[in-house]
C-alpha cells in the first residue's frame, strides 16, 4: 500500500446499495480491499471500474467479508472491469485475489465483468504461494463471467 493512500469505499451493514458508473482507482488497503471492502452488506456494482488498487493481504480491488449479522454479504458485479489491481503481500504472508477476494459465507454473482492484468505477489517476488491472480473465491456463487489475463507474479 502506498504511503498516504486510503481505501475509497467501505460498506458495512448496508442493504440494497446500488452503485452505477463509478471508477474506483488508486486506492490502498492496509489489509484487504484496496478499492472497496464490503462486510455484511447487499451491494450491486453496475458498470464500475476498479483500477490500480492495491492491498497487502487480499482483494487488491475488492474484498468481501461475511460479518456477524444481517444482512449477509451478497455482491453482484454487472458489466464491470477490474484491471491492474494487485496484492503485494509482505513478510511471507500468502496474498489472495489480486482483483477480488470473496471469503466463505459471502455470495458473489458476476455478469459480463472483465478481469485484466490483476496479480498477486509476495514481497514483490515470484511465488507459488497464495492464490488467485484475478480471483480468490472461497465457497461463493459465480455465474456468467469472462476472465482474461489474470496472472500471478
Amino acid at each position: 500500500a502506498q504511503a498516504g493512500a486510503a481505501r475509497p469505499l467501505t460498506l458495512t451493514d448496508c442493504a440494497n446499495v446500488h452503485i452505477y458508473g463509478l471508477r474506483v482507482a488508486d486506492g490502498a488497503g492496509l489489509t484487504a480491499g484496496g478499492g472497496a471492502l464490503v462486510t455484511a452488506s447487499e451491494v450491486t456494482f453496475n458498470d464500475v471500474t476498479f483500477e490500480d488498487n492495491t492491498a497487502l493481504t487480499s482483494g487488491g480491488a475488492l474484498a468481501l467479508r461475511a460479518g456477524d449479522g444481517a444482512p449477509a454479504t451478497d455482491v453482484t458485479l454487472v458489466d464491470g472491469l477490474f484491471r491492474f489491481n494487485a496484492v503485494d503481500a509482505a513478510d511471507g504472508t500468502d496474498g489472495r485475489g489480486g482483483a477480488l477476494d470473496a471469503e466463505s459465507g459471502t455470495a458473489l454473482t458476476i455478469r459480463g465483468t472483465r478481469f485484466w492484468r490483476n496479480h498477486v505477489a509476495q514481497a514483490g517476488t515470484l511465488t507459488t504461494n497464495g492464490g488467485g491472480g484475478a480471483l480468490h473465491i472461497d465457497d461463493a456463487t459465480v455465474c456468467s463471467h469472462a476472465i482474461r489475463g489474470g496472472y500471478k507474479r
Side-chain angles (χ1 to χ4, degrees):
Q2 302 168 356
R7 176 187 307 120
L9 293 172
T10 300
L11 300 165
T12 304
D13 297 322
C14 300
N16 294 320
V17 174
H18 297 268
I19 298 173
Y20 297 93
L22 186 66
R23 180 175 176 258
V24 180
D26 302 315
L30 291 178
T31 56
L37 176 63
V38 178
T39 305
S41 297
E42 299 167 358
V43 182
T44 297
F45 292 96
N46 194 323
D47 191 27
V48 174
T49 296
F50 288 89
E51 182 174 41
D52 291 316
N53 298 289
T54 59
L56 293 178
T57 61
S58 60
L62 176 61
L64 310 182
R65 299 295 176 255
D68 294 329
T73 299
D74 186 349
V75 172
T76 301
L77 306 171
V78 180
D79 297 330
L81 173 62
F82 287 75
R83 66 179 172 197
F84 307 120
N85 300 290
V87 169
D88 193 0
D91 302 325
T93 303
D94 289 343
R96 305 184 315 264
L100 186 148
D101 179 48
E103 77 175 12
S104 181
T106 63
L108 171 64
T109 303
I110 301 173
R111 293 186 186 104
T113 295
R114 295 165 291 148
F115 294 83
W116 191 64
R117 296 200 131 189
N118 301 283
H119 72 272
V120 174
Q122 268 68 42
T125 61
L126 296 173
T127 181
T128 58
N129 297 324
L135 303 170
H136 178 263
I137 299 173
D138 183 6
D139 195 27
T141 301
V142 181
C143 67
S144 303
H145 64 282
I147 299 173
R148 293 188 182 99
Y151 66 96
K152 185 175 173 181
R153 154 173 88 159

